[in-house]
Amino acid sequence: MKPIQESALSFRDIEAAAARLKGTSLKALFGADARRAEAFTIRAPYLTLDLSRQRIDAGALAALKAWAEERDVAGGRDRMFAGEIVNATEGRAARHVALRGDGGPAEVAEGRARMRALAEAFHAKQVIGGAGVALESILHIGIGGSDLGPRLVFDALRPLKRAELRFASNIDGADFDDAIDGLDPKKTLVIVVSKTFTTLETLANAKAARAWIEAAVGKENASKHFAAVSAAPERAKDWAPAERIFPFWDWVGGRYSLWSAVGLSCEIALKDEAFGRMLAGAAAMDAHFKSAPFEANAPMLAAAVQAWNREGLGRASYALVPYARRLELLAAWAQQLEMESNGKRVDRDGRVLPRPSSVVTWGAAGTNAQHSFFQMLHQGVEEIPVEFVLVKDAGGFGRTPLLANALAQAQALMLGRSEEEAFAQMRAGGMDEGQARALAPHRAFPGDRASTMAALDDLKPESLGALLAFFEHRTVAQAFLAGINPFDQFGVELGKEMASKLIPALEGDASVDDAATAAWVARLTR
Ligand code: F6P
């Protein structure tokens, strides 16, 4: 395959800036600009984004802006908002933004009204199950984009919980067993969520749910316990009564679908109109992304910095660390969003990319993460940029030490501690010289490690919506910078196809071509 022609003359400027800044310490950048902490911090709806501890300067930003202009990132964004076909390989628009603002098609408003009506009926105890009693709990079945968003939102907004909500996603039956543990099937509404309604895991869990409900209320009454959400509503007919099938559309990508009826379980299980407020917060971020100039545009700048770290400086991964227990699932959600969207090797026209553009997204909540992988972030050989997410007005006990720890980690990553300082500190503590000399390299921190600090104003539905929309837009903007399509995901297909052939092989009904897999089939069936 022909390699991509690097039309991006301006990428040479990125390379030049990267070469220059690789030899410049973050401390020196702060030393050279007394206003740096403010100059590289921008404000977006509900969010303050501080990029001052990234290895960038005005020259690098100018190069990134020129690159974004050459790649027409703003044009791509505008085409996405206008509902044009931006997902060319599947011939689809990507209109998730139409789900949360004004101006979407009429069926969006109709769908929202139906979601609200079901939520109201549920809480008015008018959704009656097969045993003649009102349903009180929800079991959400779905996987990937049909699972991670609602799971994160429910966890993040748990203080607004008004109904028990459980999730089953994995094909491993243990997941289903755990999800229904303690739930009464006579009082449970099962919401089956699948864009395609062909997904193996989801159909298997839905089948298990049906058996569970049927055993409690009888076969003829089971459908009273089911609702379905799908972009292929005709396939959902066997699973839920027509009035409980909630459509969404092929112009909503799975990992961008939280804002559609995929969020039905959150609409029902959260009070205070949380779901609608989340849409409003996301819409505020949409307006910012659409209109703010590059220098003041949080998703644009954050995308440029991601691309800078990956394509300019060669950093293959970053750690996403929310200092908020309630945002613990953020990394798992962002992992699908970013890696399924941008984990590509060819550009929009099928040409091989000149360099890797996708970043490995991983992470966990702080402070737990400090007691796990921060050792490597501080003292490992490679630099791994960190993205801290804080909640300014978090509430609850522990706020001050939580925030102090987040600030301290970013500070330690940047400032480090030299061998001499480590030596002097040990000597001051009374250690003998030889031992202090021997230990100094182990107790030194190289520092000069980049991080971003993103602070949410609070953890209300509006701010959560804005945060998730920020990540979506950053992902898409980064894809447009790299020239790739962030809306398809053919990379998940091959393994699925092979698994469907290996199921009969493991059941003894088919042979296997390759020796390594054949050996495992033999070992597992012996
Ligand atoms: O993992 C692949 C994938 O296709 C994701 O893109 C999607 O979110 C998930 O499977 C679930 O698909 P569906 O909603 O069609 O069941």
Side-chain angles (χ1 to χ4, degrees):
M1 201 180 298
K2 233 168 65 186
I4 190 173
Q5 290 305 310
E6 184 63 276
S7 70
L9 286 177
S10 50
F11 192 75
R12 296 209 190 118
D13 295 337
I14 307 270
E15 285 173 315
R20 177 170 56 79
L21 283 163
K22 265 182 180 166
T24 311
S25 73
L26 295 170
K27 276 195 238 177
L29 290 173
F30 274 92
D33 178 1
R35 286 198 59 258
R36 184 176 173 87
E38 291 309 321
F40 288 87
T41 298
I42 57 166
R43 187 65 196 154
Y46 307 100
L47 186 72
T48 301
L49 183 71
D50 170 12
L51 299 167
S52 67
R53 277 185 275 220
Q54 289 290 345
R55 199 175 307 283
I56 47 171
D57 63 2
L61 271 190
L64 288 165
K65 184 180 177 185
W67 187 31
E69 280 166 4
E70 191 179 275
R71 290 288 165 113
D72 194 21
V73 176
R77 169 200 65 193
D78 295 345
R79 285 189 287 281
M80 178 182 86
F81 273 90
E84 289 181 29
I85 305 290
V86 287
N87 176 1
T89 51
E90 297 182 300
R92 291 174 186 167
R95 303 192 66 192
H96 44 285
V97 292
L99 299 167
R100 53 211 189 195
D102 302 329
E107 61 257 39
V108 171
E110 279 163 35
R112 285 282 303 122
R114 287 185 58 214
M115 287 167 71
R116 276 196 301 265
L118 179 59
E120 273 164 31
F122 187 92
H123 292 291
K125 305 230 169 281
Q126 288 163 358
V127 180
I128 308 296
V133 291
L135 305 187
E136 289 175 358
S137 320
I138 303 157
L139 173 63
H140 177 118
I141 292 176
I143 195 165
S146 296
D147 166 68
L148 292 162
R151 206 186 267 266
L152 160 64
V153 167
F154 184 64
D155 202 31
L157 300 179
R158 208 172 270 274
L160 300 181
K161 167 180 160 177
R162 70 166 174 174
E164 188 62 38
L165 170 58
R166 305 284 183 80
F167 293 88
S169 55
N170 203 316
I171 184 74
D172 184 339
D175 201 21
F176 182 81
D177 292 345
D178 290 352
I180 61 166
D181 185 31
L183 289 187
D184 180 350
K186 293 193 177 95
K187 295 182 180 170
T188 301
L189 172 67
V190 180
I191 305 182
V192 185
V193 182
S194 175
K195 183 176 174 185
T196 56
F197 242 83
T198 58
T199 305
L200 172 80
E201 295 89 335
T202 300
L203 295 180
N205 279 315
K207 217 167 138 189
R210 187 138 76 184
W212 179 60
I213 299 281
E214 281 179 4
V217 302
K219 208 174 166 112
E220 61 294 349
N221 285 321
S223 71
K224 293 179 182 161
H225 291 253
F226 279 82
V229 177
S230 184
E234 69 293 345
R235 288 201 200 113
K237 277 186 189 138
D238 293 342
W239 292 96
E243 69 280 9
R244 294 246 197 89
I245 297 178
F246 293 80
F248 65 108
W249 305 276
D250 70 358
W251 44 263
V252 182
R255 53 196 171 273
Y256 302 87
S257 66
L258 162 67
W259 323 95
S260 69
V262 167
L264 177 63
S265 50
C266 292
E267 169 82 61
I268 302 175
L270 296 170
K271 62 183 177 185
D272 295 350
E273 312 227 339
F275 189 70
R277 288 166 58 199
M278 212 183 67
L279 297 183
M285 187 58 78
D286 296 342
H288 167 83
F289 179 51
K290 223 158 96 170
S291 62
F294 180 86
E295 295 78 4
N297 192 313
M300 283 281 190
L301 277 178
V305 167
Q306 285 275 70
W308 164 257
N309 278 335
R310 173 74 276 215
E311 301 198 44
L313 300 177
R315 313 278 183 242
S317 88
Y318 83 103
L320 176 55
V321 186
Y323 270 70
R325 202 317 279 151
R326 296 204 185 287
L327 292 176
E328 194 164 76
L329 299 178
L330 184 66
W333 173 82
Q335 194 167 57
Q336 186 206 13
L337 176 68
E338 299 187 333
M339 294 175 74
E340 195 167 88
S341 296
N342 292 349
K344 309 284 165 68
R345 57 181 278 281
V346 295
D347 76 353
R348 271 190 296 257
D349 299 319
R351 296 170 302 187
V352 173
L353 295 171
R355 45 185 179 271
S357 59
S358 52
V359 189
V360 178
T361 305
W362 60 283
T367 59
N368 298 28
Q370 290 172 205
H371 302 273
S372 157
F373 54 76
F374 266 70
Q375 164 64 40
M376 180 166 160
L377 300 182
H378 286 292
Q379 287 191 317
V381 172
E382 269 176 301
E383 176 178 345
I384 299 173
V386 183
E387 195 157 296
F388 295 94
V389 179
L390 312 180
V391 180
K392 190 167 166 248
D393 198 0
F397 84 89
R399 175 183 178 269
T400 303
L402 188 65
L403 294 180
N405 270 280
L407 297 184
Q409 292 302 321
Q411 190 178 35
L413 284 167
M414 183 173 101
L415 299 182
R417 172 179 290 155
S418 68
E419 273 191 43
E420 269 323 302
E421 285 167 332
F423 174 77
Q425 198 182 39
M426 286 182 280
R427 290 290 286 150
M431 192 181 284
D432 76 60
E433 190 177 344
Q435 199 183 359
R437 275 275 164 248
L439 276 180
H442 300 277
R443 304 192 78 159
F445 293 70
D448 201 27
R449 300 198 161 183
S451 65
T452 287
M453 191 72 75
L456 265 190
D457 293 348
D458 51 44
L459 199 39
K460 294 189 178 142
E462 293 84 353
S463 18
L464 179 66
L467 179 72
L468 303 188
F470 162 80
F471 275 97
E472 286 182 351
H473 293 323
R474 175 175 79 170
T475 303
V476 167
Q478 199 199 334
F480 290 167
L481 263 173
I484 60 180
N485 174 4
F487 302 115
D488 63 13
Q489 60 285 317
F490 296 110
V492 303
E493 297 303 330
L494 183 60
K496 278 192 205 172
E497 278 168 35
M498 290 180 166
S500 71
K501 291 186 191 142
L502 286 170
I503 291 172
L506 281 165
E507 285 166 349
D509 292 339
S511 59
V512 179
D513 294 339
D514 81 282
T517 312
W520 270 106
V521 169
R523 277 174 211 132
L524 293 171
T525 51
R526 220 173 264 149

